[in-house]
Amino acid sequence: METFADRLKAAMNEQGLKQVDLVRLAQQKGIKLGKSHVSQYVSGKTVPRTDILHFLADALQVDPDWLNNNNNDSTLSDVDEIQTSADNSGGMKVREFKKSSKLNNVLYDVRGPVVDEAARMEEMGTHVLKLNIGNPAPFGFRTPDEVIYDMSRQLSDCEGYSASAGLFSARKAIMQYAQLKHLPNVTMNDIYTGNGVSELINLTMSALLDTGDEILIPSPDYPLWTACATLAGGKPVHYICDEQSDWYPDIEDMRKKINDRTKAIVIINPNNPTGALYPKEVLQQIVDLAREHQLIIFSDEIYDRLVMDGKEHVSIASLAPDLFCVTFSGLSKSHMIAGFRIGWMILSGNKNIARDYIEGIKMLSNMRLCSNVPAQSIVQTALGGHQSVNDYIVPGGRIYEQREYVYKALTDIPGISAVKPQAAFYMFPKIDTKKFNIVNDEKFALDLLREKKILIVQGSGFNWHQPDHFRVVYLPRIEVLKEAVGKIGEFLQYYRQ
């Protein structure tokens, strides 16, 4: 029997439209439709709600009943529908529950359809080389022995909840770290621990944004920022990071996108996915802009210790004592303990202008009770003493040498160029889309996965709106990277869309 997916693909072929074309047409009409949604429709994993069905039928110039295969029961609506199904109760009406409409435009393609396909392939016994997620442990980066030992000694003391903001010892160590980074006006009460920075991003967006409020977020971005702002009811407005200027934020583009609804600016420094490190001069321009328009600054600095080439990381909050800033960091990357789930945020600067917002942060922090207590117990150990990450980021160190290798190897492939990253462990190479006729970067990632068993994340997964980039994680050892880049080079010798 012909399915909705079959008819959708036939109609798309008839009109010469690709998935990305449908997304763009939806954007033009103010309809929330993401790439991952269209991908799921085409693959047959889901069918659209009634309003999306009618948009698709109109865009494809077909009858909606034909597109839906005259099967109204298969179409999802905005509300829970009562549908008739032949079940064991003799055909009684069964209520079907749908996901919240708040999720309609929330995307997180770092773990999206391409990753789903990789999981399916692995279930079938295929080995997939994963260059998609910055997870240190699978690549041999181990948590320091001292951290493991200290956690084991304290486990019996970690039963029960901690204070919602976190253990005294953890917050004291974080406060002292903030002092070393020259963050102004920080006390113990300004520090909140979380189950990773991810939880705290969600918390801060939920506490701040009302429906229609705007927040400036970089493009490319770490997509959790866009997803959390959207879920909170806000409107993410993406400012461009300029590849021609070492991926630094385009200050004029940022300026053009500020209006009366704008509440805050987000920066990711060091940057994921580009590996860029912002110099003090660029940070000062952002501070000046935030000061001019009275905006909050959110600074995601989870990679602040993974800086190479003798460069120095500057916390933007240190330049803005008169503004309200929220700085995020944690142990998952710089201390290679991603699975322990411990991050934090530091409120600094002029807290008087954010008293009510801070009350909202406290409320949401209290509602989740506390973050992982055993993980909090090792913050003091991790932040003090010898920093094992320093051995990785100098010549001869693993991260440094793997960066050197993958940068040269990838840029030696005809049609691939890149800005050399200065921090973190990501690179965001550019593809010559004319050479390879690439119009859909998700399809490129899927084709590479299926043919060469290599998993990357397409640029659109980071809210980059051209199909000409992808992110590579260079945590694997050089011999593994050599195999991966070799296969990418082989693939691009013949690949055309």
Side-chain angles (χ1 to χ4, degrees):
M1 179 179 175
E2 195 174 40
T3 66
F4 170 82
D6 295 330
R7 295 194 173 209
L8 176 62
K9 286 185 282 191
M12 289 169 64
N13 289 335
E14 179 69 23
Q15 295 296 324
L17 295 176
K18 299 183 182 297
Q19 294 181 32
V20 68
D21 298 321
L22 293 176
V23 174
R24 288 171 181 162
L25 287 171
Q27 289 175 342
Q28 292 169 10
K29 292 181 177 292
I31 295 171
K32 294 182 177 180
L33 182 66
K35 281 188 177 182
S36 63
H37 301 126
V38 180
S39 177
Q40 289 178 350
Y41 302 154
V42 170
S43 66
K45 292 181 180 179
T46 62
V47 291
R49 305 185 318 273
T50 302
D51 59 332
I52 299 298
L53 171 71
H54 283 274
F55 159 72
L56 292 172
D58 182 59
L60 297 170
Q61 301 179 33
V62 297
D63 183 83
D65 286 338
W66 174 86
L67 184 60
N68 194 35
N69 206 13
N70 293 310
N71 182 6
N72 294 328
D73 286 347
S74 68
T75 303
L76 308 185
S77 71
D78 282 330
V79 298
D80 295 328
E81 292 180 350
I82 305 299
Q83 297 184 347
T84 301
S85 62
D87 59 13
N88 294 332
S89 58
M92 69 176 290
K93 291 182 177 180
V94 177
R95 187 181 189 186
E96 185 176 348
F97 295 91
K98 311 295 190 262
K99 68 182 180 182
S100 167
S101 60
K102 290 184 294 185
L103 294 171
N104 285 347
N105 206 35
V106 175
L107 301 177
Y108 188 73
D109 282 352
V110 172
R111 295 178 183 259
V114 181
V115 176
D116 291 342
E117 175 65 9
R120 186 196 66 79
M121 291 168 61
E122 288 184 316
E123 288 174 359
M124 300 297 292
T126 301
H127 173 70
V128 175
L129 176 55
K130 297 177 180 177
L131 303 180
N132 65 313
I133 291 181
N135 186 15
F139 303 108
F141 290 95
R142 310 306 305 178
T143 302
D145 290 343
E146 184 180 13
V147 169
I148 299 292
Y149 175 78
D150 282 13
M151 177 179 280
S152 67
R153 288 295 301 269
Q154 297 180 84
L155 275 177
S156 60
D157 298 324
C158 292
E159 296 183 46
Y161 304 125
S162 73
S164 61
L167 293 173
F168 177 88
S169 63
R171 289 189 292 143
K172 184 70 171 182
I174 295 164
M175 186 186 77
Q176 291 172 332
Y177 184 61
Q179 291 170 347
L180 294 175
K181 300 287 287 186
H182 307 294
L183 271 60
N185 195 23
V186 175
T187 71
M188 290 278 289
N189 293 329
D190 302 316
I191 294 163
Y192 296 78
T193 62
N195 296 300
V197 167
S198 301
E199 180 189 42
L200 298 171
I201 291 173
N202 193 15
L203 188 153
T204 52
M205 294 296 97
S206 297
L208 178 68
L209 298 174
D210 286 319
T211 300
D213 285 344
E214 297 187 5
I215 181 168
L216 296 184
I217 296 175
S219 175
D221 72 341
Y222 178 57
L224 187 73
W225 279 102
T226 296
C228 289
T230 301
L231 187 60
K235 179 184 177 182
V237 177
H238 291 104
Y239 64 85
I240 296 298
C241 294
D242 185 2
E243 188 170 16
Q244 301 303 312
S245 299
D246 293 332
W247 287 116
Y248 297 159
D250 184 329
I251 304 300
E252 288 310 309
D253 186 61
M254 192 182 285
R255 185 186 304 277
K256 286 189 301 184
K257 291 172 177 174
I258 296 173
N259 60 43
D260 292 341
R261 299 304 304 269
T262 309
K263 279 193 168 180
I265 296 173
V266 173
I267 71 165
I268 304 170
N269 178 40
N271 189 265
N272 174 11
T274 66
L277 177 71
Y278 302 160
K280 186 175 180 179
E281 297 75 23
V282 170
L283 298 175
Q284 185 63 59
Q285 291 180 69
I286 296 172
V287 168
D288 293 342
L289 196 60
R291 181 177 292 124
E292 178 184 347
H293 295 277
Q294 302 184 61
L295 303 177
I296 296 173
I297 296 176
F298 293 102
S299 186
D300 185 342
E301 300 181 2
I302 191 71
Y303 300 97
D304 68 337
R305 296 194 178 197
L306 287 161
V307 174
M308 291 170 276
D309 305 324
K311 303 289 185 179
E312 179 186 1
H313 176 267
V314 176
S315 286
I316 192 169
S318 69
L319 307 176
D322 57 321
L323 303 180
F324 180 65
C325 299
V326 185
T327 303
F328 301 82
S329 194
L331 301 181
S332 60
K333 313 300 183 180
S334 62
H335 292 77
M336 306 299 175
I337 52 176
F340 288 29
R341 306 310 295 139
I342 178 64
W344 57 80
M345 62 181 178
I346 305 168
L347 315 184
S348 68
N350 186 357
K351 288 167 284 187
N352 288 329
I353 61 175
R355 287 178 182 174
D356 195 58
Y357 174 44
I358 293 171
E359 286 302 313
I361 288 174
K362 289 179 181 177
M363 180 185 297
L364 293 181
S365 178
N366 291 337
M367 285 168 60
R368 54 92 209 237
L369 297 181
C370 67
S371 65
N372 183 326
V373 180
Q376 290 184 54
S377 74
I378 51 87
V379 171
Q380 187 175 46
T381 298
L383 288 180
H386 174 69
Q387 299 297 300
S388 59
V389 70
N390 293 340
D391 301 330
Y392 297 135
I393 57 177
V394 294
R398 271 194 64 184
I399 291 178
Y400 180 94
E401 296 299 337
Q402 287 159 197
R403 177 200 64 166
E404 294 294 289
Y405 174 79
V406 79
Y407 171 73
K408 184 177 188 308
L410 274 173
T411 55
D412 280 347
I413 298 174
I416 297 291
S417 59
V419 175
K420 191 174 186 179
Q422 295 181 327
F425 35 65
Y426 308 107
M427 191 163 72
F428 203 54
K430 184 174 184 178
I431 317 167
D432 185 340
T433 52
K434 291 183 179 179
K435 178 179 177 66
F436 305 111
N437 194 37
I438 293 174
V439 295
N440 184 328
D441 58 355
E442 184 177 281
K443 176 174 169 52
F444 166 74
L446 277 167
D447 291 341
L448 177 63
L449 171 64
R450 289 166 177 157
E451 295 192 35
K452 293 298 183 180
K453 317 302 185 288
I454 296 172
L455 178 59
I456 53 135
V457 182
Q458 68 277 10
S460 58
F462 302 96
N463 290 293
W464 183 254
H465 299 299
Q466 299 297 324
D468 58 356
H469 282 79
F470 62 98
R471 189 187 73 170
V472 167
V473 176
Y474 54 84
L475 284 171
R477 292 189 180 275
I478 286 178
E479 55 267 27
V480 179
L481 291 171
K482 184 175 182 179
E483 176 188 359
V485 175
K487 288 183 177 180
I488 292 172
E490 292 171 5
F491 177 72
L492 290 175
Q493 285 179 7
Y494 62 83
Y495 182 73
R496 302 294 183 274
Q497 279 189 3

